[in-house]
Amino acid sequence: MTRNSLFKILSVAAVLALLVVACGDDDDDDPTATSPSEGGAPTATRESSDGGGGGDGDPLIAMGEQLYSEQGCSGCHSVDGSDNVGPSWQGIYNSEEELEDGSTVTVDDAYIAESITDPGAKIVSGYQNIMPPYANFTDEQISAVTAYIASLAE
Ligand code: HEC
């Protein structure tokens, strides 16, 4: 081995070592690195929302409101009567609604539960069958959303 090639090997090794050190530093120091959220299923509502500090009363309604924004319902449903991809939730509770097939349905607890877990079962007239099923919603989450919708009744 000549002196020259030994020198080459050494410089390559030095560059590699520098790279490794630099990358290591980056990883350690980067304060913006975000760890991936754990688990796949939406478990966003584990934090206790009871205690009733800020809301006006019912913790179930507060939980429903939280689900509304955290689970993406707000992307398609308004709560102020304005039209969106889906029907507004304002004033629908206990009202009669026309379905795509011309029949009518009363927006009660059972219908809301079905609309969440199996949205394609009954399509509201004038809307598309594009709502994703939230089949993993627990009974508690369904009650919470129902309570929230009921609170928007007037
Ligand atoms: C991608 C848009 C989209 C998202 C996200 C979405 N929905 Fe819907 N939803 C719709 C559409 C469109 C309809 C009307 C068609 C139908 O009946 O499936 C609907 C209908 C409903 C109805 C029946 C409303 C009525 O007037 O009869 C309920 C209740 C409902 N959604 C609840 C929810 C809940 C709860 C969430 C969040 C967990 C949610 N939706 C998320 C699009 C969406």
Side-chain angles (χ1 to χ4, degrees), residues 61-74:
I61 295 176
M63 181 182 168
E65 187 172 6
Q66 199 183 354
L67 287 167
Y68 168 70
S69 45
E70 284 178 357
Q71 300 289 323
C73 322
S74 56

Side-chain angles (χ1 to χ4, degrees), residues 18-55:
L18 270 177
L19 278 176
V20 168
V21 169
C23 291
D25 269 6
D26 265 8
D27 282 353
D28 287 348
D29 293 348
D30 189 2
T32 62
T34 49
S35 53
S37 52
E38 308 145 26
T43 52
T45 54
R46 283 295 130 79
E47 280 164 31
S48 69
S49 57
D50 49 323

